[in-house]
Amino acid sequence: MVLIGVFAVLMLFSAFIGVENTAEQNSIRETYQEQVHDDYVNQPDRNPHRVSHYGYLVFRERPALSFFEFGIESFAGNSIFLEAHRQNTVNLSEAGFSNGMLRFGELSMALILQLLVPLFIFFIGYGTLADLKANGVLKIMLAQGVSAKRLIWGKTLGIFSFTTTVFIGAMLLIFSIAFVAYPEAITPAVLLRSLFAMALYTVYFFICSWITVLISAKSSRGGAALISLILLWMLCGIILPKMAQNVGYALFPAPSKLEFETRITEDLEQVGDSHDPDDAYYTSFREKTLAEYGVDDVKDLPFNYAGHLMAEGERVTTELYRSHFDELIATYTNQNSIAAYLSFINPYLMVRNLSMAATGTDMAHYIDFQKQTEDYRYRQTQYFNELHKNEVDAERSGTQRLNSARFNERDPFEYENRGLFWALSNNVITLLALVFWLMLIVLSFSFGFKKIKLY
């Protein structure tokens, strides 16, 4: 009862901090997003190329369930500046403005359920069979006809049902209070993600209960079982996750931000410079355009060649950047795959990965935000290039201004939220690990547990 009280205080505290932080962060970002948009649409008459360089700042809204599972939210950037000719990264993470204490982790409901509740299960269940074995009661029970399979099944269900009632019940209560306090966060997609998260942790608690009873059955006394369980907890919760991170980085090293941008700059120099009139690629592009329209000079084209050239330069640089970006993401995916494969032997890694995916706080959702903002930036820039091409006089290419109403026609950026199945499709290996653990439990009760070691 004391442990339950301690865990209740921790969960309530972490829930309050999570809900308050998520609501505050989203409120701040929404306020500044409105300010940015108002400044953007209230621009004076301008040259369209100037507007494309004026840019647009997009803030990343925190997912509705990030109050429960922080994931990488504190370490991922929350704003990105969109402008012509440049593909910027998402910047201004909370970790960048915090002290070194953040590296020790943040107290979230998910962290409590993933790391501390298994400890709770171990402490209440380590002696279920080991103590019966030590005092001789287990031998009497087996002699009276109770099968080892039924005994292990009953002890597992006992620990699991108690743990699930307490912690999944608390999880359901806190979710309900959070959604009542912030009803705008409730959508069918969020509810589906919430239900999956509860089901996921229910399975996780059963796996922990099952492991506890198995180790208790294999141990000669309760003290030995407890030591084994604590060592297992340290291995799964501390050593293996850190090892997965280090091994992933060693096998698939990722370039630094400076190296990444340097490689892009070097490749751009090889492709060509649209601002250089003697550049080989763009000279060829000009000759091709002149031949296509049957004229000898760009002044004779039925449009402003400067806008046409800028559109081609934007296309080339965007393709190059996206190619490098995809390579970088492939590297990160390979790094994270180490933890995914270790999920087959470590249920903590399995539940951590799927929990972040279900709540939208994993790397896949962060990358999806970057890709959607990049698509928006490209469409926005090419829209201005088309205006420059078709509505700006070639002789006044750098000075002519268009009515600001032409710039206000563009819709503001809105992130397209992904569904649960999209999120899970990015974690196929971890999902297979979940299926593996379920099959292992089913097979153990179907074909194993013929007898329990009595000494």
Side-chain angles (χ1 to χ4, degrees):
M1 296 305 296
V2 173
L3 284 176
I4 292 176
V6 171
F7 275 79
V9 171
L10 287 175
M11 289 192 69
L12 288 173
F13 175 75
S14 62
F16 174 78
I17 295 297
V19 172
E20 188 73 14
N21 187 43
T22 298
E24 181 182 5
Q25 286 289 325
N26 283 341
S27 176
I28 292 173
R29 296 176 194 185
E30 182 179 354
T31 299
Y32 283 112
Q33 188 67 78
E34 292 176 356
Q35 180 180 332
V36 166
H37 186 68
D38 289 343
D39 292 342
Y40 182 81
V41 300
N42 290 323
Q43 292 183 75
D45 296 347
R46 273 191 173 140
N47 183 281
H49 192 60
R50 297 296 181 189
V51 178
S52 66
H53 278 290
Y54 180 84
Y56 192 83
L57 189 64
V58 172
F59 292 89
R60 178 173 173 265
E61 183 179 2
R62 294 192 66 162
L65 295 179
S66 63
F67 75 89
F68 166 74
E69 167 70 84
F70 295 165
I72 66 169
E73 286 299 307
S74 297
F75 303 92
N78 56 55
S79 64
I80 182 170
F81 184 66
L82 310 179
E83 60 179 323
H85 310 321
R86 286 185 59 84
Q87 293 80 21
N88 299 311
T89 55
V90 187
N91 295 311
L92 302 179
S93 67
E94 293 179 50
F97 297 97
S98 66
N99 55 36
M101 290 300 295
L102 190 60
R103 71 179 60 198
F104 294 102
E106 298 173 288
L107 184 64
S108 66
M109 286 181 62
L111 181 66
I112 293 173
L113 297 178
Q114 293 167 14
L115 272 180
L116 300 186
V117 171
L119 265 183
F120 174 83
I121 294 174
F122 293 165
F123 273 105
I124 68 171
Y126 72 91
T128 48
L129 291 176
D131 285 347
L132 293 179
K133 188 184 303 184
N135 59 26
V137 175
L138 180 60
K139 185 180 296 186
I140 297 174
M141 295 177 68
L142 295 175
Q144 291 176 339
V146 179
S147 67
K149 182 188 300 184
R150 186 171 183 179
L151 194 58
I152 292 176
W153 176 248
K155 294 295 184 181
T156 301
L157 280 181
I159 299 172
F160 165 73
S161 60
F162 177 73
T163 306
T164 303
T165 301
V166 173
F167 294 105
I168 299 299
M171 186 177 172
L172 178 60
L173 176 62
I174 292 173
F175 273 43
S176 301
I177 294 174
F179 290 150
V180 169
Y182 301 96
E184 65 275 7
I186 302 178
T187 64
V190 171
L191 290 176
L192 182 61
R193 286 173 177 266
S194 302
L195 291 174
F196 177 83
M198 292 182 189
L200 174 66
Y201 282 96
T202 300
V203 173
Y204 180 58
F205 294 160
F206 189 88
I207 294 173
C208 293
S209 302
W210 174 69
I211 292 174
T212 302
V213 175
L214 285 187
I215 292 181
S216 183
K218 293 293 184 179
S219 302
S220 58
R221 61 186 186 276
L226 181 59
I227 292 175
S228 300
L229 288 168
I230 291 176
L231 291 175
L232 179 64
W233 178 84
M234 294 177 61
L235 175 67
C236 293
I238 301 175
I239 298 175
L240 285 180
K242 187 63 178 178
M243 185 187 75
Q245 177 184 354
N246 292 335
V247 171
Y249 186 80
L251 294 178
F252 309 101
S256 66
K257 182 179 179 180
L258 179 61
E259 291 173 335
F260 178 73
E261 293 179 348
T262 300
R263 292 176 186 177
I264 293 178
T265 302
E266 292 174 350
D267 286 353
L268 281 174
E269 292 175 353
Q270 296 179 2
V271 171
D273 183 1
S274 60
H275 296 87
D276 183 1
D278 299 323
D279 182 84
Y281 174 81
Y282 289 99
T283 298
S284 174
F285 175 75
R286 182 178 66 246
E287 298 300 326
K288 181 179 178 181
T289 302
L290 294 175
E292 181 180 353
Y293 286 89
V295 296
D296 297 325
D297 195 290
V298 294
K299 297 180 180 178
D300 300 324
L301 290 170
F303 51 80
N304 187 339
Y305 179 71
H308 188 59
L309 179 64
M310 286 187 288
E312 174 64 13
E314 190 66 43
R315 185 192 67 81
V316 171
T317 57
T318 298
E319 287 185 356
L320 182 62
Y321 172 83
R322 290 181 178 179
S323 175
H324 279 272
F325 184 76
D326 289 340
E327 291 180 6
L328 182 65
I329 297 309
T331 301
Y332 289 148
T333 302
N334 289 331
Q335 289 180 355
N336 292 333
S337 68
I338 303 299
Y341 285 115
L342 285 177
S343 298
F344 285 91
I345 61 173
N346 187 352
Y348 164 71
L349 288 174
M350 179 268 296
V351 75
R352 188 192 68 177
N353 292 345
L354 292 181
S355 179
M356 289 193 297
T359 54
T361 59
D362 63 342
M363 178 65 74
H365 286 82
Y366 177 67
I367 293 170
D368 185 60
F369 172 80
Q370 289 184 279
K371 289 186 175 181
Q372 288 194 34
T373 55
E374 167 55 22
D375 289 342
Y376 176 83
R377 184 207 66 82
Y378 180 72
R379 294 194 305 269
Q380 188 93 335
T381 303
Q382 293 298 57
Y383 170 77
F384 293 131
N385 287 334
E386 286 298 314
L387 286 181
H388 202 109
K389 174 180 175 181
N390 298 312
E391 300 190 24
V392 174
D393 186 70
E395 295 182 356
R396 297 188 298 147
S397 186
T399 59
Q400 182 179 343
R401 300 185 178 190
L402 298 183
N403 190 289
S404 61
R406 301 306 310 274
F407 312 139
N408 302 343
E409 296 173 357
R410 304 301 295 163
D411 294 329
F413 172 80
E414 288 191 15
Y415 177 68
E416 179 187 352
N417 289 304
R418 302 295 187 175
L420 174 63
F421 296 106
W422 178 89
L424 296 180
S425 68
N426 292 288
N427 291 269
V428 175
I429 296 175
T430 313
L431 275 177
L432 291 176
L434 174 61
V435 174
F436 167 78
W437 280 101
L438 291 174
M439 291 181 59
L440 186 63
I441 292 173
V442 171
L443 292 175
S444 67
F445 283 110
S446 299
F447 302 103
F449 307 141
K450 300 299 183 182
K451 61 180 181 178
I452 298 177
K453 189 177 180 181
L454 297 176
Y455 54 89

